[in-house]
Every structure is written in C-alpha cells, then in structure tokens.
Amino acid sequence: MEGYTAALTGMELGDGAPGMVPPPEKPSGGWAGKLCGVVMLVALCGTSAMLFHCHGLTQSHGIETNEHQQNLKQISTNMKAAIHLHGEFNPKVYNKSVLWRDGDGHSFFQGGLKLENNEIIIPQNGLYFVYSQVSFRVLCSSAAGHTNQPLSHTIMRWSDSYSDEKPLLSAVSTMCQSDASGLDRRYNAVYLGAIFSLEIEDRLWTDTNQPKNVDGGDGKTFFGVFAL
C-alpha cells in the first residue's frame, strides 16, 4: 500500500511521462525493520495475553480458595449445638448422682454446648431436645427385703427466668416386684426425652435416687442435648 500511495502522489505532481506510473522503488532496509517490528509486536501481544491468562488463573484460584474457606467457616458457624455424655457412678469423684463425662466412648460436644461441674450449659436461646437414660443393675432378694424397689431419674433445670431449679423431666420405675427366693439380679432402664424452649446460661443436670445401682456400661447410661 505504501508503494501505491507513492505512485499516486507522483502522478499528482506530474513527475515522469504523462499517464505513466513510475515503477515502485526497491524495498529498502526500512521495510525489513518494519516487518521485524510487526513480528516483535505480535510476539509481545502473545506474551502479554499469556501472562494475563496466567494471572487470571491465579486470581481465579485465589477466589476459589477464599470461597472454600468461607464455606467451611459458614458450615462451622451454622453447626447445630449438640452434646452427648456417658454416665457412671464413681463415689470417689462424685457421690451425689451419676457422674457425666464428655471424653469417654461415644460422647462428644459441639456448637457451644458444654459440660461444667456435672451440668450441661445452654449456649443460647432456642428449642432443644433434651434426653437421658439410666440403666440400673439391682440385686433382688426377698430375704433381705429387696422387693418393689423404686428407681427414679430426673433432669433438673436452673434458669435466670425464674431464678430457681425445677424438674424438667422425671420418671420412676420399680424392680424386684416378685417374691423371689434367693438372689436375683434384675436390669431395668429409665429413659427421658422431650423438646423444650431453653435460654442462654440455663443449666441442666440429673438426679438419680440409687446411683450406686447405675450400670455404667457402654451405651447404657447417657445424657444429652441438641439444638433444633
């Protein structure tokens, strides 16, 4: 195109024979330089595009990582509060009732629910399912008068709303009902469970009338709460 433009310019100035277009000049070193410049420009554009693409991938990977971390944080934040405790009777540690543990067997806690001084502490207002089971192992003997023994298990609650303690759930069972001759080992379990509206800093604990007869085997005596 540059040679063609030069030819038109020559015609307009009247150089050379009338109606004749001067032959194009032989390409000089300037053409080679321009060609090299175009090649270098294309190479630079390609390199820039590659760098931009890599930078875009790096940014995209960073965004995905941040989103993954945010999702994990949201999951941990929205995790439902729950606690499940294993119980036993250990008079050397606690002789008033069942001793609850949060680090034995299948016991666990999460979401703010925790065990303090043998009591479950409620982390925030809401609906909770509260449950407990106590298994008893009683030696019955009619000669010793071990007949018709009552076994009671109660979940207690203390709340700021009424600044007092009250029974939340309670049940009574009987054992050694028959007049057995000699010794007879009997087993029984008392289970409690219901939904309650609880408040922050409420405290829940249990009261069992015959803790020395509690069976502390795996899965037999437990106490728990989980948020709904």
Side-chain angles (χ1 to χ4, degrees):
M1 290 294 294
E2 187 174 345
Y4 182 72
T5 303
L8 291 178
T9 303
M11 290 181 64
E12 291 173 355
L13 294 177
D15 296 337
M20 297 291 293
V21 178
E25 296 180 358
K26 185 178 180 180
S28 63
W31 281 88
K34 292 178 181 179
L35 182 59
C36 291
V38 171
V39 173
M40 292 179 64
L41 180 61
V42 172
L44 288 174
C45 291
T47 303
S48 300
M50 183 178 296
L51 290 175
F52 179 77
H53 179 66
C54 293
H55 181 65
L57 288 177
T58 303
Q59 286 185 333
S60 176
H61 178 70
I63 292 174
E64 291 177 357
T65 302
N66 291 336
E67 289 180 351
H68 181 63
Q69 293 176 350
Q70 291 175 358
N71 290 336
L72 290 177
K73 183 177 181 180
Q74 184 176 4
I75 290 173
S76 62
T77 301
N78 295 335
M79 186 180 297
K80 292 292 186 180
I83 188 170
H84 182 82
L85 307 172
H86 170 74
E88 64 179 7
F89 179 65
N90 189 341
K92 296 181 180 180
V93 180
Y94 190 76
N95 59 5
K96 295 180 181 180
S97 187
V98 178
L99 176 65
W100 300 109
R101 298 186 181 276
D102 57 8
D104 295 342
H106 299 290
S107 60
F108 71 93
F109 60 95
Q110 65 183 30
L113 279 165
K114 57 185 177 180
L115 177 66
E116 288 185 358
N117 299 321
N118 216 42
E119 300 174 344
I120 293 177
I121 310 300
I122 303 300
Q124 60 185 4
N125 299 347
L127 293 177
Y128 295 84
F129 185 80
V130 183
Y131 63 93
S132 182
Q133 174 178 295
V134 172
S135 297
F136 294 95
R137 181 180 60 239
V138 179
L139 186 63
C140 297
S141 171
S142 59
H146 297 162
T147 58
N148 201 23
Q149 295 188 48
L151 304 173
S152 67
H153 182 54
T154 303
I155 298 177
M156 301 292 297
R157 175 193 180 190
W158 188 96
S159 179
D160 282 333
S161 60
Y162 43 79
S163 299
D164 195 5
E165 61 182 52
K166 294 182 179 181
L168 196 66
L169 289 168
S170 183
V172 179
S173 179
T174 57
M175 298 183 69
C176 303
Q177 299 180 14
S178 62
D179 293 331
S181 58
L183 298 177
D184 184 16
R185 191 175 297 277
R186 304 287 182 90
Y187 297 87
N188 199 0
V190 176
Y191 177 82
L192 307 170
I195 298 173
F196 295 93
S197 176
L198 303 178
E199 300 177 356
I200 185 172
E201 298 300 327
D202 278 2
R203 305 198 312 266
L204 306 179
W205 68 96
T206 63
D207 185 12
T208 305
N209 72 330
Q210 294 192 38
K212 65 179 182 179
N213 292 322
V214 169
D215 188 349
D218 291 340
K220 294 183 177 181
T221 299
F222 49 83
F223 181 26
V225 178
F226 61 85
L228 300 177

Coordinates of all heavy atoms in Angstrom, one line a residue, residues 9-68:
T9 N 0.9 9.8 -5.6 CA 1.5 11.2 -5.3 C 2.3 11.7 -6.5 O 2.3 12.8 -6.8 CB 2.3 11.1 -4.0 OG1 1.5 10.6 -3.0 CG2 2.9 12.4 -3.6
G10 N 3.1 10.7 -7.1 CA 3.9 11.1 -8.2 C 3.1 11.6 -9.4 O 3.4 12.5 -10.1
M11 N 1.9 11.0 -9.7 CA 1.0 11.4 -10.8 C 0.5 12.7 -10.5 O 0.4 13.6 -11.4 CB -0.1 10.4 -10.9 CG 0.4 9.0 -11.5 SD -1.0 7.9 -11.6 CE -2.0 8.7 -12.9
E12 N 0.1 13.0 -9.3 CA -0.5 14.3 -9.0 C 0.6 15.4 -9.2 O 0.2 16.5 -9.6 CB -1.0 14.3 -7.6 CG -2.2 13.4 -7.4 CD -2.6 13.3 -5.9 OE1 -1.8 13.8 -5.1 OE2 -3.6 12.7 -5.6
L13 N 1.8 15.1 -8.9 CA 2.9 16.2 -9.1 C 3.4 16.3 -10.5 O 4.2 17.2 -10.8 CB 4.1 15.8 -8.1 CG 3.7 15.9 -6.6 CD1 4.9 15.5 -5.8 CD2 3.3 17.3 -6.2
G14 N 3.0 15.4 -11.3 CA 3.4 15.5 -12.8 C 4.8 15.0 -13.0 O 5.4 15.3 -14.0
D15 N 5.3 14.2 -12.1 CA 6.7 13.6 -12.4 C 6.6 12.5 -13.4 O 5.7 11.7 -13.3 CB 7.3 13.1 -11.0 CG 7.5 14.3 -10.1 OD1 7.6 15.4 -10.5 OD2 7.5 14.0 -8.8
G16 N 7.7 12.4 -14.3 CA 7.7 11.3 -15.2 C 6.8 11.6 -16.4 O 6.2 12.6 -16.6
A17 N 6.7 10.6 -17.3 CA 5.9 10.7 -18.5 C 4.4 10.8 -18.2 O 4.0 10.2 -17.2 CB 6.2 9.5 -19.4
P18 N 3.6 11.5 -19.0 CA 2.2 11.6 -18.8 C 1.5 10.3 -18.9 O 1.8 9.5 -19.8 CB 1.7 12.5 -19.9 CG 2.9 13.3 -20.4 CD 4.1 12.4 -20.2
G19 N 0.7 10.0 -17.9 CA -0.1 8.8 -17.8 C 0.8 7.6 -17.4 O 0.3 6.5 -17.5
M20 N 2.0 7.8 -17.2 CA 2.9 6.7 -16.8 C 3.1 6.7 -15.2 O 3.3 7.7 -14.6 CB 4.2 6.8 -17.4 CG 4.2 6.7 -19.0 SD 3.7 5.0 -19.5 CE 5.2 4.2 -19.0
V21 N 3.0 5.6 -14.7 CA 3.2 5.4 -13.2 C 4.7 5.0 -13.0 O 5.1 4.0 -13.6 CB 2.3 4.4 -12.6 CG1 2.6 4.3 -11.1 CG2 0.8 4.9 -12.8
P22 N 5.4 5.7 -12.3 CA 6.8 5.3 -12.0 C 6.9 3.9 -11.3 O 6.0 3.6 -10.5 CB 7.4 6.4 -11.1 CG 6.4 7.5 -11.3 CD 5.1 7.0 -11.6
P23 N 7.8 3.1 -11.7 CA 7.9 1.8 -11.1 C 8.3 2.0 -9.6 O 9.0 2.9 -9.2 CB 9.1 1.1 -11.8 CG 9.9 2.3 -12.4 CD 8.9 3.4 -12.7
P24 N 7.7 1.1 -8.8 CA 8.0 1.2 -7.3 C 9.5 1.0 -7.1 O 10.2 0.3 -7.7 CB 7.2 0.1 -6.7 CG 7.0 -0.9 -7.8 CD 6.9 -0.1 -9.1
E25 N 9.9 1.8 -6.1 CA 11.3 1.7 -5.7 C 11.5 0.3 -5.0 O 10.7 -0.3 -4.4 CB 11.6 2.8 -4.7 CG 11.5 4.2 -5.4 CD 11.9 5.3 -4.4 OE1 12.1 4.9 -3.2 OE2 11.8 6.5 -4.8
K26 N 12.8 -0.1 -5.0 CA 13.2 -1.3 -4.4 C 13.1 -1.2 -2.9 O 13.5 -0.2 -2.4 CB 14.6 -1.7 -4.8 CG 15.1 -3.0 -4.3 CD 16.5 -3.3 -4.8 CE 17.0 -4.6 -4.3 NZ 18.3 -4.9 -4.7
P27 N 12.4 -2.2 -2.3 CA 12.3 -2.0 -0.8 C 13.7 -1.8 -0.2 O 14.6 -2.5 -0.5 CB 11.7 -3.4 -0.4 CG 11.0 -3.9 -1.6 CD 11.8 -3.4 -2.8
S28 N 13.7 -0.9 0.7 CA 14.9 -0.6 1.4 C 15.0 -1.3 2.8 O 14.0 -2.1 3.1 CB 15.0 0.9 1.7 OG 14.0 1.3 2.5
G29 N 16.0 -1.1 3.6 CA 16.1 -1.7 4.9 C 15.0 -1.3 5.8 O 14.7 -2.0 6.8
G30 N 14.3 -0.2 5.5 CA 13.2 0.2 6.4 C 12.0 -0.8 6.4 O 11.4 -1.0 7.4
W31 N 11.8 -1.5 5.3 CA 10.7 -2.5 5.2 C 11.1 -3.7 6.1 O 10.2 -4.2 6.8 CB 10.6 -3.0 3.8 CG 9.8 -2.1 2.9 CD1 10.3 -1.0 2.2 CD2 8.4 -2.1 2.7 NE1 9.3 -0.3 1.6 CE2 8.1 -1.0 1.9 CE3 7.4 -2.9 3.2 CZ2 6.8 -0.7 1.5 CZ3 6.1 -2.7 2.8 CH2 5.8 -1.6 1.9
A32 N 12.3 -4.1 6.0 CA 12.7 -5.2 6.9 C 12.6 -4.9 8.4 O 12.2 -5.7 9.2 CB 14.2 -5.6 6.6
G33 N 13.0 -3.6 8.7 CA 12.8 -3.2 10.1 C 11.4 -3.2 10.5 O 11.1 -3.6 11.6
K34 N 10.5 -2.7 9.6 CA 9.1 -2.6 10.0 C 8.5 -4.0 10.1 O 7.7 -4.3 11.0 CB 8.3 -1.9 8.9 CG 8.6 -0.4 8.9 CD 7.9 0.3 7.8 CE 8.2 1.8 7.7 NZ 7.5 2.5 6.7
L35 N 9.0 -4.9 9.3 CA 8.5 -6.3 9.3 C 8.9 -6.9 10.7 O 8.1 -7.6 11.3 CB 9.0 -7.1 8.2 CG 8.6 -8.6 8.1 CD1 7.1 -8.7 8.0 CD2 9.3 -9.3 6.9
C36 N 10.2 -6.7 11.0 CA 10.7 -7.2 12.3 C 9.9 -6.6 13.5 O 9.5 -7.2 14.5 CB 12.1 -6.9 12.5 SG 13.2 -7.9 11.4
G37 N 9.5 -5.3 13.3 CA 8.8 -4.7 14.4 C 7.4 -5.3 14.5 O 6.9 -5.5 15.6
V38 N 6.7 -5.6 13.4 CA 5.4 -6.2 13.4 C 5.5 -7.6 14.1 O 4.7 -8.0 14.9 CB 4.9 -6.4 12.0 CG1 3.6 -7.2 12.0 CG2 4.6 -5.0 11.4
V39 N 6.6 -8.4 13.7 CA 6.7 -9.7 14.3 C 6.9 -9.6 15.8 O 6.3 -10.3 16.6 CB 7.9 -10.4 13.7 CG1 8.2 -11.7 14.5 CG2 7.6 -10.7 12.2
M40 N 7.8 -8.6 16.3 CA 8.0 -8.4 17.7 C 6.7 -8.0 18.4 O 6.4 -8.4 19.5 CB 9.1 -7.4 17.9 CG 10.5 -7.8 17.5 SD 11.7 -6.6 17.7 CE 11.7 -6.5 19.5
L41 N 5.9 -7.1 17.7 CA 4.7 -6.7 18.3 C 3.7 -7.8 18.5 O 3.1 -8.0 19.6 CB 4.0 -5.6 17.4 CG 2.7 -5.0 17.9 CD1 2.9 -4.3 19.3 CD2 2.1 -4.1 16.9
V42 N 3.6 -8.7 17.5 CA 2.8 -9.9 17.7 C 3.2 -10.8 18.8 O 2.5 -11.3 19.6 CB 2.7 -10.7 16.3 CG1 2.0 -12.0 16.5 CG2 2.0 -9.8 15.2
A43 N 4.6 -11.0 18.9 CA 5.1 -11.8 20.0 C 4.8 -11.2 21.3 O 4.5 -11.9 22.3 CB 6.6 -12.0 19.8
L44 N 5.0 -9.9 21.4 CA 4.7 -9.2 22.7 C 3.2 -9.3 23.1 O 2.9 -9.5 24.2 CB 5.1 -7.7 22.6 CG 6.6 -7.4 22.6 CD1 6.9 -6.0 22.4 CD2 7.3 -7.9 23.9
C45 N 2.4 -9.2 22.1 CA 0.9 -9.3 22.4 C 0.6 -10.7 22.9 O -0.2 -10.9 23.8 CB 0.1 -9.0 21.1 SG 0.2 -7.3 20.6
G46 N 1.3 -11.7 22.2 CA 1.0 -13.1 22.6 C 1.5 -13.3 24.0 O 0.9 -14.0 24.9
T47 N 2.7 -12.8 24.3 CA 3.3 -12.9 25.7 C 2.4 -12.3 26.7 O 2.1 -12.8 27.8 CB 4.7 -12.4 25.8 OG1 5.5 -13.0 24.8 CG2 5.3 -12.6 27.1
S48 N 1.9 -11.1 26.4 CA 1.0 -10.3 27.3 C -0.3 -11.1 27.5 O -0.7 -11.2 28.7 CB 0.7 -8.9 26.7 OG 1.9 -8.2 26.6
A49 N -0.8 -11.6 26.5 CA -2.1 -12.4 26.6 C -1.8 -13.6 27.5 O -2.7 -14.0 28.4 CB -2.6 -12.9 25.2
M50 N -0.7 -14.3 27.3 CA -0.4 -15.5 28.2 C -0.2 -15.1 29.6 O -0.7 -15.7 30.5 CB 0.9 -16.1 27.7 CG 1.3 -17.4 28.4 SD 2.7 -18.2 27.7 CE 2.2 -18.6 26.1
L51 N 0.5 -14.0 29.9 CA 0.7 -13.5 31.2 C -0.6 -13.1 31.9 O -0.9 -13.4 33.0 CB 1.7 -12.3 31.3 CG 3.1 -12.7 30.9 CD1 4.0 -11.4 30.9 CD2 3.7 -13.6 32.0
F52 N -1.5 -12.5 31.1 CA -2.8 -12.1 31.6 C -3.6 -13.3 31.9 O -4.3 -13.3 32.9 CB -3.5 -11.2 30.5 CG -4.9 -10.7 31.0 CD1 -5.0 -9.7 31.9 CD2 -6.0 -11.4 30.5 CE1 -6.3 -9.3 32.3 CE2 -7.3 -11.0 30.9 CZ -7.4 -9.9 31.8
H53 N -3.5 -14.3 31.0 CA -4.3 -15.5 31.3 C -3.8 -16.2 32.5 O -4.6 -16.7 33.4 CB -4.2 -16.5 30.1 CG -4.9 -17.8 30.2 ND1 -6.3 -17.9 30.3 CD2 -4.4 -19.0 30.3 CE1 -6.6 -19.1 30.5 NE2 -5.5 -19.8 30.5
C54 N -2.5 -16.3 32.7 CA -1.9 -16.9 33.9 C -2.3 -16.2 35.2 O -2.7 -16.7 36.2 CB -0.4 -17.1 33.8 SG 0.1 -18.2 32.5
H55 N -2.3 -14.8 35.0 CA -2.6 -14.0 36.2 C -4.1 -14.2 36.5 O -4.5 -14.3 37.7 CB -2.3 -12.5 35.9 CG -2.7 -11.6 37.0 ND1 -2.0 -11.7 38.2 CD2 -3.6 -10.6 37.1 CE1 -2.5 -10.7 39.0 NE2 -3.5 -10.1 38.4
G56 N -4.9 -14.3 35.5 CA -6.3 -14.6 35.7 C -6.6 -15.9 36.4 O -7.4 -16.0 37.3
L57 N -5.8 -17.0 36.0 CA -5.9 -18.2 36.6 C -5.5 -18.2 38.1 O -6.2 -18.8 38.9 CB -5.1 -19.3 35.9 CG -5.6 -19.7 34.5 CD1 -4.6 -20.7 33.9 CD2 -7.0 -20.4 34.6
T58 N -4.5 -17.4 38.3 CA -4.0 -17.3 39.7 C -5.1 -16.6 40.6 O -5.4 -17.0 41.7 CB -2.7 -16.5 39.8 OG1 -1.7 -17.1 39.0 CG2 -2.2 -16.4 41.2
Q59 N -5.6 -15.5 40.0 CA -6.7 -14.8 40.7 C -7.9 -15.7 40.9 O -8.5 -15.7 42.0 CB -7.1 -13.6 40.0 CG -6.1 -12.4 40.1 CD -6.6 -11.2 39.4 OE1 -7.4 -11.2 38.5 NE2 -6.1 -10.0 39.8
S60 N -8.3 -16.5 39.9 CA -9.4 -17.4 40.0 C -9.2 -18.4 41.0 O -10.0 -18.8 41.8 CB -9.7 -18.0 38.6 OG -10.7 -19.0 38.7
H61 N -7.9 -19.0 41.1 CA -7.6 -20.0 42.1 C -7.7 -19.4 43.5 O -8.2 -20.0 44.4 CB -6.2 -20.6 41.8 CG -5.8 -21.6 42.8 ND1 -6.4 -22.8 42.9 CD2 -4.9 -21.5 43.8 CE1 -5.8 -23.5 43.9 NE2 -4.9 -22.7 44.5
G62 N -7.2 -18.1 43.6 CA -7.3 -17.5 44.9 C -8.7 -17.2 45.3 O -9.1 -17.4 46.5
I63 N -9.6 -16.9 44.4 CA -11.0 -16.7 44.7 C -11.7 -18.0 45.1 O -12.4 -18.0 46.1 CB -11.7 -16.1 43.5 CG1 -11.2 -14.6 43.2 CG2 -13.2 -16.1 43.7 CD1 -11.8 -14.1 41.9
E64 N -11.3 -19.1 44.4 CA -11.9 -20.4 44.8 C -11.5 -20.8 46.2 O -12.2 -21.3 47.0 CB -11.5 -21.4 43.7 CG -12.2 -21.2 42.4 CD -11.7 -22.2 41.4 OE1 -10.8 -23.0 41.8 OE2 -12.2 -22.2 40.2
T65 N -10.2 -20.5 46.5 CA -9.7 -20.9 47.8 C -10.4 -20.1 48.9 O -10.8 -20.6 49.9 CB -8.1 -20.6 47.9 OG1 -7.5 -21.4 46.9 CG2 -7.6 -21.0 49.3
N66 N -10.5 -18.8 48.6 CA -11.2 -17.9 49.6 C -12.7 -18.4 49.8 O -13.2 -18.4 50.9 CB -11.2 -16.5 49.2 CG -9.8 -15.9 49.3 OD1 -9.0 -16.4 50.0 ND2 -9.5 -14.9 48.5
E67 N -13.3 -18.7 48.7 CA -14.7 -19.2 48.8 C -14.8 -20.5 49.6 O -15.7 -20.7 50.4 CB -15.3 -19.4 47.4 CG -15.6 -18.0 46.6 CD -16.1 -18.3 45.3 OE1 -16.2 -19.5 44.8 OE2 -16.5 -17.3 44.6
H68 N -13.8 -21.4 49.4 CA -13.8 -22.6 50.1 C -13.7 -22.4 51.6 O -14.4 -23.0 52.4 CB -12.7 -23.5 49.6 CG -12.6 -24.9 50.2 ND1 -13.6 -25.8 50.2 CD2 -11.6 -25.4 51.0 CE1 -13.3 -26.9 50.8 NE2 -12.1 -26.7 51.4

